[in-house]
Amino acid sequence: MPNGNGDSNNAMDAEITKSSSSSSSSTSSFLRAVDNFGMKLKPWALGAYEKSLKYSNSDNNNVNGTDNTSGSGTSKKRVSRAKNIMCRLQANFLWMSYIFYRGYRGFFVILPAVFREVYRQLEESNLVVDVYGDEDDEDEKEYAVNANAVEQQQPQQREPMRLRNRITISILLSGMLTLSYVVSGALRVLGKFIKTFTNTTSVESSFEAAAEEVAVNEDKLRNKVK
């Protein structure tokens, strides 16, 4: 005879599973859309900078042309300069947004993924050395009354120390990766911006060089666990 309560529980479990899958899929889709939008900031910045160069060239042509003395020539020159300034501001804003996004992506997405990979490798490796070696185990067995006493002593003595060692090593590795990416990475990005600006005196080129340095820092972070 079929159990009504069992069928209703199964239906409820199926509904919960379906709802959880749908929620996870929607969250993944949203994060993917955010990532796609953030990565489009770079080509948008390059496009805005190219437009500013076109308006700048147009302004130079008006200055060198014969129509610079007329009212229409002066008006065109002012419009070109205004558009040039607007496109440069837009390019700078997009470059800054792209750099901030890559920093957010590296700190809140890539760095936690690297932490998880480091911890996984730590779990699968022999980095966590047991403080009680084989010789200590043999000595303990000599002083143990029976086999049951040995089995009770070993988990009590070894597991807490293993856990402390694992936590200590995880914190050290995580701290090193965080300092390497956040502190040294930020200094390299800032240094790249200053060096490029000193050589070219172009704000747009400096932002572009800084953005490329951010991408290099992400690749270095990924390579640390390979």
Side-chain angles (χ1 to χ4, degrees), residues 29-42:
S29 300
F30 174 75
L31 295 177
R32 192 179 300 110
V34 171
D35 185 66
N36 291 335
F37 176 81
M39 299 305 290
K40 287 180 181 178
L41 293 173
K42 179 179 178 179

Side-chain angles (χ1 to χ4, degrees), residues 103-224:
Y104 154 80
R105 181 171 177 261
F107 189 81
F108 290 102
V109 178
I110 297 178
L111 195 61
V114 172
F115 287 165
R116 289 192 294 269
E117 178 64 18
V118 169
Y119 188 78
R120 185 190 65 81
Q121 293 182 5
L122 184 63
E123 288 287 333
E124 296 178 355
S125 66
N126 294 324
L127 290 177
V128 181
V129 181
D130 189 7
V131 293
Y132 299 102
D134 294 336
E135 295 180 357
D136 293 334
D137 290 340
E138 294 296 333
D139 293 337
E140 290 175 2
K141 290 179 181 178
E142 292 179 0
Y143 292 102
V145 178
N146 50 40
N148 292 332
V150 174
E151 292 178 358
Q152 292 176 359
Q153 289 175 1
Q154 288 179 350
Q156 294 176 355
Q157 294 175 348
R158 299 170 64 181
E159 291 302 326
M161 186 59 67
R162 283 185 175 182
L163 180 60
R164 286 196 295 269
N165 289 343
R166 185 177 293 109
I167 292 175
T168 301
I169 295 175
S170 299
I171 292 175
L172 290 176
L173 291 176
S174 301
M176 291 173 59
L177 289 175
T178 303
L179 290 176
S180 175
Y181 178 75
V182 177
V183 179
S184 63
L187 292 176
R188 284 195 297 267
V189 171
L190 181 61
K192 192 71 172 181
F193 179 88
I194 296 175
K195 181 179 179 181
T196 305
F197 183 78
T198 302
N199 295 333
T200 63
T201 66
S202 173
V203 178
E204 293 80 9
S205 299
S206 302
F207 275 127
E208 183 177 0
E212 294 297 331
E213 187 65 26
V214 173
V216 171
N217 290 336
E218 286 187 4
D219 293 336
K220 290 180 179 180
L221 183 62
R222 291 191 183 96
N223 293 333
K224 289 182 181 296

Side-chain angles (χ1 to χ4, degrees), residues 19-91:
S19 176
S20 177
S21 303
S22 176
S23 176
S24 177
S25 177
S26 61
T27 302
S28 177
S29 300
F30 174 75
L31 295 177
R32 192 179 300 110
V34 171
D35 185 66
N36 291 335
F37 176 81
M39 299 305 290
K40 287 180 181 178
L41 293 173
K42 179 179 178 179
W44 289 345
L46 292 173
Y49 181 59
E50 290 178 359
K51 286 183 179 180
S52 70
L53 293 179
K54 290 181 180 179
Y55 291 126
S56 178
N57 294 333
S58 176
D59 187 17
N60 293 333
N61 292 335
N62 290 333
V63 172
N64 297 327
T66 58
D67 61 344
N68 58 345
T69 58
S70 63
S72 62
T74 304
S75 177
K76 289 181 180 179
K77 183 170 62 176
R78 290 177 179 175
V79 172
S80 296
R81 287 180 178 177
K83 290 183 178 180
N84 180 24
I85 293 174
M86 292 299 296
C87 288
R88 285 181 178 272
L89 291 175
Q90 182 183 7

